Amino acid sequence: QKEVEQDPGPLSVPEGAIVSLNCTYSNSAFQYFMWYRQYSRKGPELLMYTYSSGNKEDGRFTAQVDKSSKYISLFIRDSQPSDSATYLCAMSGVQGAQKLVFGQGTRLTINP
Amino acid sequence: NAGVTQTPKFRVLKTGQSMTLLCAQDMNHEYMYWYRQDPGMGLRLIHYSVGEGTTAKGEVPDGYNVSRLKKQNFLLGLESAAPSQTSVYFCASSYTGDAEAFFGQGTRLTVV
């Protein structure tokens, strides 16, 4: 079993829909949780960064962390065609960790 | 702002040939990483470095070597390329192991 599980999709939704992307993990030591967005033929770029449990909002994007369930989510409100990309979750343990652990990535398409 | 720069962007190799991929970062980051990304496999860590002169194996190190002679540069070498090494290679750097990772634009390598 992988340390971080993410449904690869693909996921296709109409413009304006609310999108929910999720990851589950098995390592209870993870404290730092991130979402990266990767456009086609580009490198991943950080979208959201959260520490421990709770919610974080940035414009149309909301990241949620539920450590009791070992489950993180990214919500996209009023989705736009420009949101079409692959979304990767990433996480890390306590301070001193040497690397991030990435999910497989979910390919998302927003249809006009 | 250059960030993380990978050279070259594209390369075609014949089986058995060797090559070196160069990654340069101008953010004074201690940590640097080499990943490969294949369809359906997500990002897989090949090797990484936690500082100048250090290297460590990641998830899929076989067939690759790395060197970090200068803090700003991380080199990935293929001594005898194989078709299984056809992939998109990403370099990344970060201030610490649990901080945001900054990615390069990728190198598309085809081994025929």
Side-chain angles (χ1 to χ4, degrees), chain B residues 71-90:
Chain B
K71 186 177 183 179
Q72 63 268 32
N73 295 336
F74 195 29
L75 278 63
L76 177 71
L78 287 73
E79 288 187 350
S80 180
S84 60
Q85 293 177 306
T86 293
S87 186
V88 181
Y89 292 85
F90 287 102

Side-chain angles (χ1 to χ4, degrees), chain A residues 45-93:
Chain A
E45 291 181 314
L46 184 70
L47 186 61
M48 299 285 280
Y49 187 114
T50 55
Y51 171 70
S52 196
S53 286
N55 293 359
K56 184 174 182 179
E57 190 173 319
D58 184 1
R60 297 183 294 109
F61 298 89
T62 299
Q64 280 188 354
V65 176
D66 182 349
K67 290 190 69 179
S68 63
S69 302
K70 298 191 181 71
Y71 189 87
I72 69 170
S73 301
L74 178 71
F75 297 95
I76 307 173
R77 293 185 300 279
D78 187 24
S79 56
Q80 305 293 311
S82 59
D83 296 327
S84 298
T86 295
Y87 291 80
L88 301 102
C89 63
M91 45 198 83
S92 181

Side-chain angles (χ1 to χ4, degrees), chain B residues 2 11-13 44 46 50 55 60 68-69 82 103 106:
Chain B
R11 186 73 186 267
V12 178
L13 281 181
R44 292 187 290 171
I46 304 171
V50 300
T55 62
V60 287
R68 182 101 180 266
L69 298 178
F103 284 82

Side-chain angles (χ1 to χ4, degrees), chain A residues 2 8 32 34 36 38 40-46 49 86 88 92-105, chain B residues 10 31 33 35 37 39-43 45 48 50 56-58 90 94 96-106 108:
Chain A
K2 291 183 180 179
Y32 304 93
M34 305 172 203
Y36 284 80
Q38 183 179 20
S40 180
R41 297 183 172 264
K42 301 287 187 183
E45 291 181 314
L46 184 70
Y49 187 114
T86 295
L88 301 102
S92 181
V94 297
Q95 193 171 13
Q98 295 189 331
K99 54 189 184 295
L100 299 176
V101 181
F102 281 88
Q104 192 176 351
Chain B
F10 304 93
Y31 292 70
Y33 309 88
Y35 294 90
Q37 189 175 40
M41 302 293 287
L43 285 169
L45 183 64
Y48 63 102
V50 300
K57 293 181 179 180
F90 287 102
S94 64
T96 65
D98 48 31
E100 175 185 0
F102 292 82
F103 284 82
Q105 75 276 30
R108 292 187 171 272

